[in-house]
Amino acid sequence: MAHLLEIKDLHVSVEEKELLHGVSLDVKAGETHVLMGPNGAGKSTLGYSVMGSPRYAVTSGSIVFDGEDITALSADKRAKKGIFLSFQAPVEIPGITLSSFLRSALEQQTGQRIKLWDFKKRLRETMALLQMDESYAERELNVGFSGGEKKKAEILQLLMLRPKLAILDETDSGLDVDAVRTVSQGIHEFQKNPENSLLIITHNTRLLASLSVDKAHVLVGGRIAAQGGAELVDEINAAGFEKYLTVE
Amino acid sequence: MKEKTQVEHLNESLYDFRFDEDDADRFESGITPQIIREIAEEKGDPDWMRDFRLKSLEIYNKTPMVDWGPSIEGLDMSQIVTYIRPKTRMRTDWNEVPDDIKSTFERLGIPQAERESLAGVGAQYDSELVYHNVRREVAEQGVVYTDLESAMHDERWADIIRTHFMKLVPPTDHKFAALHGAVWSGGSFVYVPKGVHLDIPLQSYFRLNAKGAGQFEHTLIILEEGSYLHFIEGCSAPKYFVASLHAGCVELYVGKNATLRYSTVENWSKNMYNLNTKRAIVEEGGKVEWVSGSFGSHVSYLYPMSILHGRGARAEFTGITFAGEGQNLDTGAKIVHAAPDTSSYVNTRSISKSGGISTFRSAVQINENAHGSKCSVSCESLMLDSQSRSDTIPAMDIRTNRADVGHEAKIGRISDEAVFYLMARGLSEEDAKALIVRGFADNVSKELPLEYAVEMNNLIGIEMKGSIG
């Protein structure tokens, strides 16, 4: 299958400080990748860079998505091409409800009006899948949501917006067992489309237990320290990152 | 203030005037007693009103120009044509309004609004009321909603107007109050009898249309005991190249246990000097609720004042001010607690962008006798870029230690993280920022009737256009 995401020798700095020192990573359409590493390794930096945060300056290297170099594109253009980032700390946006936000985001992405009836129906079904109370749809986006509800709302947006590539940044952190299970179900749902790709950023492997993983990458100190298949996840699970830290 | 030298310069010339006050002929293209007499005659003013105008002109000539706040140096009084007669007399039927005037109003959406659930529309064109209609059921409740000139000539209302007109805002208040007293024209008179509760809001649209014309409409609202009214004032004006002046006056008398909600969405053209004076007096157990959105004008001085005159009287002020390029908007609220157990709540948002200046001033006075009173002032400012300015100037004058007073001010910038979050979901930077600003303004828009909330959201959208450098 063709490469969906190609990260080539990416160097990224924040305020003159280099955080990624030449990271390369390819994700093919339909694959699920895991990016692991200790705190401060640069995992979130990679996620933010692929999404196009202006805070993270790409000093060299490139990001190619669907055959197109997107290194210079703004985040909204990347989103329209089919990249989604589930935030580790979703931002509270007063003044717009989750439901109207989702509808306008969908309309922005597709450039078409969406019938309210169809939209509401799909929203209800997706919320049911994620065991979210329907009342959240009419609440202001993330405002006053618990940590778990915020993460569920991210997965809800993922399923509603239907991107080609989803980057999940620590989506499992701070969740209780039940919430992890619900979020996993949401991810399963996304994986049902064989074209959909995932890059799951995590520093523990709880979320991965029930998911099929094609490739795993270990990021340490802004560099890829190891790459492998699903077995690498098990290895990290058993032995932690110590082996790679000593290499560093 | 950085423009202080200019203001001082302006003052000197005014002091020259003061020593030379008999020489009123200096106002050749401006205002002379002769012009005032012509206005009075044209309007068929009763003698007392004509004399009031002339007295106000005297006060105007004696009063120095304001020497604080934003510069009004660009305002050339000799250029302001204070009175422009419209081509038409008053109309009560929309069909009889001339086409050119009608099309202007139609572009503003007034007839549609009228057709819907509006109680009455008084639309001011230039300086005179050309269209006025109060629905029958409102009139049947004994509610009077008419223009002030007509009411002044109606023997049922003549006395009440004489005893209330510019008693709350006397011409001696400041220079532009005096000017208003001399040249006021048009505006609304509303009288709500005892115990009458109007469920539908009364609306009024003001509009400046003639080049260089000033607008001096007067709004006088009297609520008798236990009554309720929501009055909505909306303004929009096209842009002109000659400095324009708006010096209106609003006087609100809120009777015992009555409640008045006074909402304004103001969008004057960006060359307008908006020097408006609004004041309410609230009797025992009564309440005034101000909702105010200020978007337009080049310079604004606007501080609606509430005088809590009776025990347990209350005031609420909810406001938003949006200052863009070339705008210096000085807004706020004044509260006087003049009786025991009174309470006030001031909650404002101000936004500045593209070099705009937004200043929030609050002045709270709690008199010695106002024990058991409560006051809470909260203002938040949002600056959208580093060229823009936002200031907060709270003043508190507390003369009793038996009062509960709180003040909170926050100044912030738009969160980059929030913009990125929204952009990551496909919103353009412009839309993302507009959405955040709307959220910031939400406390005001949710106070407005739906169509005004929509209008305000649209205004924010328009103001945010091109804000991305």
Side-chain angles (χ1 to χ4, degrees):
Chain A
M1 267 202 225
H3 285 296
L4 182 66
L5 176 70
E6 296 168 79
I7 301 171
K8 297 174 187 166
D9 192 27
L10 197 70
H11 291 255
V12 173
S13 295
V14 171
E15 289 157 7
E16 313 286 302
K17 187 172 185 283
E18 187 166 282
L19 300 178
L20 296 182
H21 315 289
V23 171
S24 296
L25 195 158
D26 294 342
V27 179
K28 287 178 185 164
E31 285 183 343
T32 295
H33 287 229
V34 176
L35 183 66
M36 294 178 295
N39 285 331
K43 302 186 300 294
S44 293
T45 299
L46 188 66
Y48 271 64
S49 302
V50 173
M51 193 69 243
S53 167
R55 220 172 93 76
Y56 297 83
V58 174
T59 50
S60 74
S62 65
I63 302 165
V64 174
F65 184 74
D66 231 355
E68 188 189 340
D69 189 329
I70 59 162
T71 319
L73 288 187
S74 59
D76 55 324
K77 299 211 170 72
R78 297 185 196 201
K80 282 178 183 154
K81 291 192 181 298
I83 303 178
F84 180 93
L85 172 67
S86 166
F87 281 58
Q88 191 176 347
V91 184
E92 300 194 359
I93 310 282
I96 189 164
T97 62
L98 174 58
S99 165
S100 12
F101 172 67
L102 265 174
R103 192 164 167 229
S104 60
L106 261 174
E107 289 181 345
Q108 287 277 341
Q109 294 205 356
T110 57
Q112 286 171 347
R113 297 282 299 166
I114 292 157
K115 280 186 193 146
L116 187 61
W117 179 260
D118 299 343
F119 170 78
K120 291 265 182 196
K121 183 166 173 285
R122 194 152 84 81
L123 182 62
R124 259 199 315 275
E125 290 166 359
T126 314
M127 290 183 90
L129 181 91
L130 294 170
Q131 295 173 15
M132 277 184 90
D133 193 288
E134 271 183 42
S135 65
Y136 279 88
E138 298 314 317
R139 284 178 56 176
E140 293 179 309
L141 183 57
N142 296 329
V143 177
F145 287 22
S146 71
E149 297 299 346
K150 278 182 183 167
K151 295 297 176 68
K152 280 188 187 178
E154 292 290 286
I155 299 301
L156 175 70
Q157 292 184 49
L158 164 68
L159 294 177
M160 293 298 290
L161 295 174
R162 292 176 168 153
K164 292 176 189 165
L165 169 70
I167 304 163
L168 309 182
D169 187 5
E170 305 280 6
T171 297
D172 51 341
S173 69
L175 297 187
D176 61 29
V177 179
D178 288 339
V180 169
R181 192 179 304 127
T182 311
V183 165
S184 303
Q185 275 166 4
I187 297 169
H188 272 301
E189 186 67 23
F190 181 70
Q191 283 181 319
K192 277 185 187 168
N193 184 331
E195 292 290 306
N196 284 352
S197 307
L198 273 163
L199 178 60
I200 300 172
I201 297 171
T202 184
H203 65 269
N204 70 50
T205 52
R206 241 177 1 158
L207 184 70
L208 307 173
S210 63
L211 294 173
S212 63
V213 172
D214 297 300
K215 288 217 170 95
H217 314 262
V218 177
L219 190 68
V220 177
R223 291 186 178 85
I224 298 285
Q227 286 182 306
E231 75 286 348
L232 189 56
V233 176
D234 297 331
E235 187 204 309
I236 297 288
N237 222 356
F241 299 111
E242 213 163 301
K243 177 177 156 191
Y244 303 101
L245 289 172
T246 51
V247 167
E248 177 80 354
Chain B
M1 295 275 155
K2 63 177 179 182
E3 289 168 317
K4 194 161 191 169
T5 49
Q6 292 168 331
V7 172
E8 278 168 358
H9 174 72
L10 205 70
N11 268 339
E12 282 168 23
S13 64
L14 272 150
Y15 284 122
D16 291 345
F17 253 140
R18 215 150 77 134
F19 296 120
D20 200 15
E21 66 192 50
D22 290 333
D23 189 12
D25 287 341
R26 285 204 180 199
F27 289 96
E28 268 176 66
S29 55
I31 312 140
T32 62
Q34 186 50 38
I35 288 176
I36 299 301
R37 280 189 201 97
E38 279 168 25
I39 291 173
E41 192 174 332
E42 173 64 44
K43 290 185 163 299
D45 275 352
D47 290 352
W48 73 267
M49 181 56 83
R50 186 198 55 225
D51 295 345
F52 187 93
R53 288 183 187 277
L54 288 166
K55 182 73 191 157
S56 297
L57 178 64
E58 264 178 49
I59 296 166
Y60 173 75
N61 287 338
K62 284 180 194 164
T63 310
M65 195 61 89
V66 289
D67 60 354
W68 53 278
S71 166
I72 50 171
E73 205 215 18
L75 179 63
D76 182 355
M77 286 310 298
S78 68
Q79 293 252 10
I80 304 289
V81 184
T82 55
Y83 184 72
I84 290 155
R85 254 187 76 69
K87 298 184 194 86
T88 55
R89 291 276 165 196
M90 271 189 61
R91 304 280 170 174
T92 49
D93 183 351
W94 180 253
N95 293 323
E96 290 171 23
V97 176
D99 285 346
D100 59 329
I101 293 174
K102 208 150 94 177
S103 68
T104 314
F105 282 128
E106 258 159 26
R107 280 203 298 275
L108 290 172
I110 293 171
Q112 287 91 318
E114 159 66 10
R115 277 196 293 270
E116 286 154 25
S117 66
L118 308 186
V121 171
Q124 186 166 11
Y125 190 79
D126 292 356
S127 301
E128 200 121 346
L129 223 53
V130 290
Y131 178 78
H132 209 118
N133 184 21
V134 178
R135 277 201 183 161
R136 201 173 296 125
E137 61 263 42
V138 173
E140 276 171 2
Q141 286 182 280
V143 174
V144 179
Y145 178 30
T146 181
D147 66 296
L148 204 49
E149 282 98 338
S150 300
M152 203 163 59
H153 290 106
D154 188 323
E155 60 180 23
R156 289 171 299 172
W157 313 113
D159 274 355
I160 206 168
I161 289 169
R162 190 174 177 173
T163 50
H164 289 80
F165 181 83
M166 291 200 84
K167 291 291 188 282
L168 209 46
V169 182
T172 47
D173 213 63
H174 57 82
K175 191 166 185 75
F176 291 93
L179 178 67
H180 179 89
V183 303
W184 76 272
S185 175
S188 303
F189 172 65
V190 183
Y191 177 84
V192 186
K194 187 173 172 178
V196 172
H197 190 288
L198 265 187
D199 294 322
I200 30 179
L202 290 180
Q203 311 207 9
S204 161
Y205 295 81
F206 299 108
R207 183 152 199 278
L208 254 186
N209 195 276
K211 195 177 173 186
Q215 185 145 354
F216 304 96
E217 87 287 351
H218 194 97
T219 304
L220 178 59
I221 298 179
I222 297 167
L223 263 68
E224 295 288 9
E225 188 177 336
S227 62
Y228 175 87
L229 170 70
H230 182 189
F231 191 84
I232 302 170
E233 179 195 17
C235 315
S236 75
K239 188 173 170 69
Y240 291 111
F241 300 102
V242 176
S244 292
L245 170 64
H246 176 236
C249 182
V250 174
E251 296 181 288
L252 312 174
Y253 293 86
V254 182
K256 189 176 171 183
N257 296 325
T259 296
L260 172 60
R261 170 173 271 245
Y262 194 90
S263 303
T264 310
V265 174
E266 172 273 301
N267 185 27
W268 294 109
S269 63
K270 301 285 161 72
N271 63 334
M272 180 71 76
Y273 288 82
N274 185 29
L275 309 169
N276 216 6
T277 311
K278 300 182 176 185
R279 200 162 292 171
I281 187 162
V282 188
E283 302 301 337
E284 188 181 332
K287 187 180 184 190
V288 63
E289 302 167 351
W290 304 91
V291 180
S292 177
S294 298
F295 291 85
S297 82
H298 170 51
V299 168
S300 271
Y301 283 70
L302 181 63
Y303 325 94
M305 178 174 180
S306 310
I307 301 165
L308 303 176
H309 187 248
R311 181 183 282 269
R314 289 174 293 162
E316 267 181 29
F317 182 89
T318 309
I320 182 157
T321 299
F322 195 129
E325 189 179 354
Q327 291 185 282
N328 191 341
L329 307 185
D330 206 286
T331 61
K334 291 185 207 173
I335 313 277
V336 178
H337 291 257
D341 304 323
T342 50
S343 62
S344 62
Y345 178 66
V346 176
N347 186 12
T348 67
R349 299 281 188 274
S350 55
I351 301 161
S352 52
K353 77 157 181 78
S354 309
I357 302 170
S358 171
T359 305
F360 171 79
R361 277 176 218 266
S362 64
V364 175
Q365 181 183 317
I366 300 189
N367 290 352
E368 264 170 70
N369 67 334
H371 40 82
S373 290
K374 285 181 198 150
C375 169
S376 158
V377 178
S378 159
C379 51
E380 285 186 39
S381 309
L382 181 64
M383 286 178 283
L384 297 181
D385 50 55
S386 52
Q387 322 137 256
S388 304
R389 263 184 61 184
S390 196
D391 292 315
T392 300
I393 307 172
M396 299 254 176
D397 177 3
I398 317 296
R399 301 173 189 179
T400 169
N401 53 13
R402 293 160 66 196
D404 182 1
V405 181
H407 179 264
E408 184 189 9
K410 281 188 219 162
I411 291 186
R413 296 189 184 280
I414 211 157
S415 146
D416 291 339
E417 181 73 6
V419 172
F420 175 60
Y421 181 74
L422 294 171
M423 287 179 75
R425 302 292 140 91
L427 273 69
S428 68
E429 187 176 353
E430 205 168 77
D431 288 345
K433 287 188 170 173
L435 180 58
I436 293 164
V437 172
R438 281 196 193 101
F440 180 75
D442 200 43
N443 78 313
V444 177
S445 40
K446 75 184 175 207
E447 295 291 329
L448 292 169
L450 184 64
E451 66 268 32
Y452 277 77
V454 168
E455 187 182 323
M456 204 178 94
N457 275 332
N458 290 341
L459 283 176
I460 290 174
I462 290 165
E463 293 300 331
M464 292 301 292
K465 278 262 155 28
S467 67
I468 311 305

